[in-house]
Amino acid sequence: SNILLSSGSCSSFFFAFGLYFRDCLCVFSTAAQQRSTGDECGPEDPCDEPRHPLSERALELKASKLEEQVRDLTERYRKAVADSENVRRRTQKFVEDAKLFGIQSFCKDLVEVADILEKTTESTTREAEPSDPKPTLKKICEGLSLIEAKMQSVFAKHGLQKMNPIGGKYDPYDHEIVCHVPAEGMQPGTVALVTQDGYKLHGRTIRHAHVGVAVESQE
């Protein structure tokens, strides 16, 4: 609606600008005709009374006033064009964000499914025994691993990526501290463990990673 209003305002300015420009032309034309009539009259042929009652001074004042109004309209028109451009850019940015982050709510739900799949795969892999003569459980583990890999591939295709904060600096915008662990071989303030994976959608954090941060041990 803002774009339509701005377009209507621009049209009104164009119409008003045209009217004032036409008036200016009429005034200048009238003044030119009066000067021309005065020049053509000789001393033996006195000039007739001017066709227009306005004096040259009055015409100049009116022309000056019209020029000032034209300048004002021009300035207002430029401001209206600038406002329209700002609205267009904001609308374009909104549309682009809607395309990128329109699936954000869906992704938040989907990563919970990915968590369950990952935990199930790890649990099944631990229970599978290499010496088991029945390869059923082993095949199930392989199938779950393939599904998990495919899911992460689909995530990456749509801009959804899992964070890997281990060893990195703690960032309150990406991480949520759930515990502290002794800094054994790690710099204090770095992420030592992850209890829940975090995810980003096109660089925007949609779920914080639950992490344990290394701290100096107190003896």
Side-chain angles (χ1 to χ4, degrees):
S1 61
N2 289 334
I3 296 177
L4 294 177
L5 289 174
S6 298
S7 300
S9 298
C10 290
S11 300
S12 299
F13 281 123
F14 274 124
F15 180 72
F17 183 82
L19 291 180
Y20 281 114
F21 184 72
R22 185 188 64 184
D23 290 342
C24 287
L25 290 178
C26 292
V27 170
F28 292 141
S29 176
T30 301
Q33 288 178 0
Q34 287 188 353
R35 293 192 185 96
S36 176
T37 303
D39 294 340
E40 291 176 356
C41 293
E44 299 178 357
D45 186 14
C47 297
D48 296 333
E49 293 183 359
R51 298 179 182 179
H52 299 281
L54 295 177
S55 64
E56 183 176 352
R57 178 60 179 169
L59 290 173
E60 290 178 353
L61 291 175
K62 185 175 182 180
S64 177
K65 183 178 180 181
L66 287 174
E67 289 176 355
E68 183 179 353
Q69 290 175 340
V70 167
R71 286 193 297 269
D72 179 65
L73 279 175
T74 302
E75 182 64 23
R76 292 170 62 187
Y77 164 74
R78 289 175 180 173
K79 291 181 180 179
V81 171
D83 291 340
S84 298
E85 181 65 17
N86 291 335
V87 171
R88 185 191 67 80
R89 289 177 180 175
R90 288 196 298 268
T91 303
Q92 184 178 0
K93 182 65 167 58
F94 176 80
V95 172
E96 291 174 354
D97 288 347
K99 290 180 180 179
L100 290 176
F101 303 107
I103 60 172
Q104 178 171 319
S105 179
F106 174 71
C107 288
K108 287 182 178 180
D109 295 335
L110 197 57
V111 295
E112 295 182 3
V113 178
D115 290 343
I116 296 174
L117 179 60
E118 182 179 0
K119 291 178 181 179
T120 303
T121 302
E122 293 176 354
S123 177
T124 306
T125 301
R126 285 195 301 266
E127 292 179 1
E129 298 180 0
S131 60
D132 191 349
K134 297 181 180 180
T136 303
L137 190 58
K138 183 178 180 180
K139 289 182 179 180
I140 292 176
C141 292
E142 292 176 353
L144 291 175
S145 298
L146 290 175
I147 294 173
E148 184 180 1
K150 181 62 177 178
M151 178 172 286
Q152 292 299 327
S153 175
V154 173
F155 285 176
K157 179 180 178 181
H158 294 279
L160 182 62
Q161 294 183 338
K162 182 192 294 186
M163 299 182 193
N164 185 22
I166 296 292
K169 195 72 175 177
Y170 165 73
D171 187 346
Y173 295 100
D174 295 334
H175 311 141
E176 181 179 343
I177 299 177
V178 295
C179 64
H180 292 89
V181 297
E184 297 177 357
M186 301 184 69
Q187 290 291 334
T190 58
V191 177
L193 61 89
V194 177
T195 60
Q196 178 178 276
D197 292 321
Y199 282 87
K200 288 187 176 184
L201 179 62
H202 296 292
R204 177 189 293 180
T205 301
I206 64 171
R207 191 177 78 173
H208 290 72
H210 291 183
V211 301
V213 176
V215 294
E216 294 182 357
S217 57
Q218 298 178 355
E219 296 180 356

